[in-house]
Amino acid sequence: MKIKNINEINITEKRVLIRCDLNVPIQNGVIQSDARILASLPTIELALQKKAKVIVMSHLGRPKSESYEKKYSLFPVFEYIKKKIDYTKVYFTENYSKIDLINPGELLILENVRFNSGELKNDKILSKRYSKLCDIFVMDAFGAAHREQASTYGIGKFAKIACAGPLLISEIKMLKKALKNPKRPMVSIVGGSKVSTKFNVLNNLCDISDTVIVGGGIANTFLAIDYDVGKSLHEPEFILTAKKLRDNYNNIITPIDSRVGKNFSETEQSIIKSPSKIKKNEEIMDFGDKTIKKVVKIIEKAKTIIWNGPVGVFEFPNFRIGTEKIAKAVANNSNFSIAGGGDTLSVIDMFCIKDKISYISTGGGAFLEFIEGKKLPAIDMLEKNFSQQ
């Protein structure tokens, strides 16, 4: 893989457009998790210190139409960054033509790219417009690297120089470390609601892992092969697919007991049951104690850990214990661990274990597609741009 690195380029006094991933959860104008912003800041500050004219672009959420919606504005992110970078001028604009207002060593944050017509469709005209904003384009948004869109892919076709930022390079390096010649035993933990969206990921992880622990709705679909899972979240149409996967591999660990409830509610009390005892009016919402004990022992012996997704409804206190015990087992393992995915980041924040995970990926879909073995469009773009220079 040959791509340009920002550290190999003279960016002083150049217009440097950095595509970051500032897609953070915001409620009533308040940022709920700053993990992705903090991950992006070193690249932004590197460019500022080298006296570049720094422009930052990102998406936020999923606006229903390609037009302004206040709840998806990047303005709260701008205010947050302005406080963090208080040693220089930091501007914000919805008008992409105002980039010439900034001087070397100053920062301009652009409004949400998804308000721009043609962004999601990788529109050629919009991609060209983006490329004219800069002398150098820096792709540093690993979390959006799997999107073939104007700000992540199309711009690279027209930018004079397209390179990778330190965050993107670090993400690729760490994922390769986990996937290629990992120290063993290697344990993968895959939670989440749908086996259908993670089938290929599971396939690949089963190939390279010694053990794959499944949780959440994914585990429920596996349990539904042999049991009636009541009203638990699962995918009936993928039970046969799950069975084929289980039949092909003997290293998939599914729950031997579960915490169940009758109502999907924060105040619902949990009852521990074996899969064969679940009633039609009950739903699985967490691992049971026997399962927790079993998987924690496996995690404790692991030399490499890949973790994506909670194993239960961790937002509810009575159905949080499985996710908490697994999170803390990963954190207490001093060997190499890599975690990724939006909900995983929330779990890490909840249990204050950020400093105990070897590497925390900012990617969700990109994290999974990389694990699946797919070539990410943004990386493909950077390779093509490199070969054309």
Side-chain angles (χ1 to χ4, degrees), residues 311-331:
V311 299
V313 188
F314 71 98
E315 298 90 345
F316 297 168
N318 294 331
F319 298 96
R320 182 178 294 164
I321 189 167
T323 298
E324 180 179 4
K325 293 288 187 182
I326 283 175
K328 290 181 177 178
V330 174

Side-chain angles (χ1 to χ4, degrees), residues 16 41 44 49 90 104 118 122 124 152 160 197 199 225-226 229 249 264 278 299 307 321 339 350-351 357:
V16 175
L41 282 178
I44 296 170
Q49 287 160 10
V90 182
N122 190 31
K124 185 177 179 179
T152 59
K160 295 174 187 175
T197 59
F199 175 73
I225 299 168
D226 302 308
V229 294
Y249 298 98
F264 190 79
I278 294 166
I299 293 167
W307 173 28
I321 189 167
M350 178 179 282
F351 301 121
I357 308 295

Side-chain angles (χ1 to χ4, degrees), residues 76-132:
V77 175
F78 153 71
E79 290 185 307
Y80 179 98
I81 291 176
K82 191 175 181 181
K83 289 176 183 175
K84 287 284 184 181
I85 302 176
D86 57 2
Y87 52 82
T88 189
K89 290 183 179 179
V90 182
Y91 306 95
F92 179 80
T93 186
E94 313 86 35
N95 187 346
Y96 283 30
S97 64
K98 287 189 176 180
I99 60 163
D100 290 330
L101 297 176
I102 59 169
N103 297 309
E106 295 179 350
L107 172 63
L108 174 66
I109 298 174
L110 302 175
E111 182 57 285
N112 191 345
V113 294
R114 289 190 176 170
F115 294 160
N116 300 328
S117 179
E119 165 64 22
L120 298 179
K121 294 180 180 177
N122 190 31
D123 180 74
K124 185 177 179 179
I125 294 172
L126 182 62
S127 298
K128 281 186 176 180
R129 183 183 162 204
Y130 287 157
S131 71
K132 289 176 181 177

Side-chain angles (χ1 to χ4, degrees), residues 251-322:
N251 57 348
I252 300 172
I253 302 295
T254 56
I256 52 177
D257 64 343
S258 305
R259 281 180 165 77
V260 306
K262 293 180 180 178
N263 300 295
F264 190 79
S265 166
E266 192 171 355
T267 58
E268 180 71 7
Q269 294 300 306
S270 66
I271 303 168
I272 298 177
K273 289 191 170 187
S274 63
S276 61
K277 303 292 184 182
I278 294 166
K279 297 177 181 178
K280 291 189 180 298
N281 65 340
E282 293 175 330
E283 57 184 311
I284 299 167
M285 290 190 274
D286 193 12
F287 281 174
D289 289 344
K290 289 179 182 178
T291 303
I292 292 170
K293 187 177 180 180
K294 180 180 180 180
V295 300
V296 165
K297 281 185 178 179
I298 293 169
I299 293 167
E300 286 173 346
K301 295 176 182 177
K303 293 287 174 55
T304 303
I305 302 169
I306 293 180
W307 173 28
N308 173 257
V311 299
V313 188
F314 71 98
E315 298 90 345
F316 297 168
N318 294 331
F319 298 96
R320 182 178 294 164
I321 189 167

Side-chain angles (χ1 to χ4, degrees), residues 52-82:
K53 298 176 181 179
V54 186
I55 308 152
V56 165
M57 66 193 324
S58 175
H59 73 287
L60 178 66
R62 299 175 184 271
K64 291 179 181 177
S65 59
E66 294 175 319
S67 58
Y68 178 83
E69 289 182 54
K70 186 177 180 180
K71 68 176 179 177
Y72 295 121
S73 174
L74 277 168
F75 191 77
V77 175
F78 153 71
E79 290 185 307
Y80 179 98
I81 291 176
K82 191 175 181 181

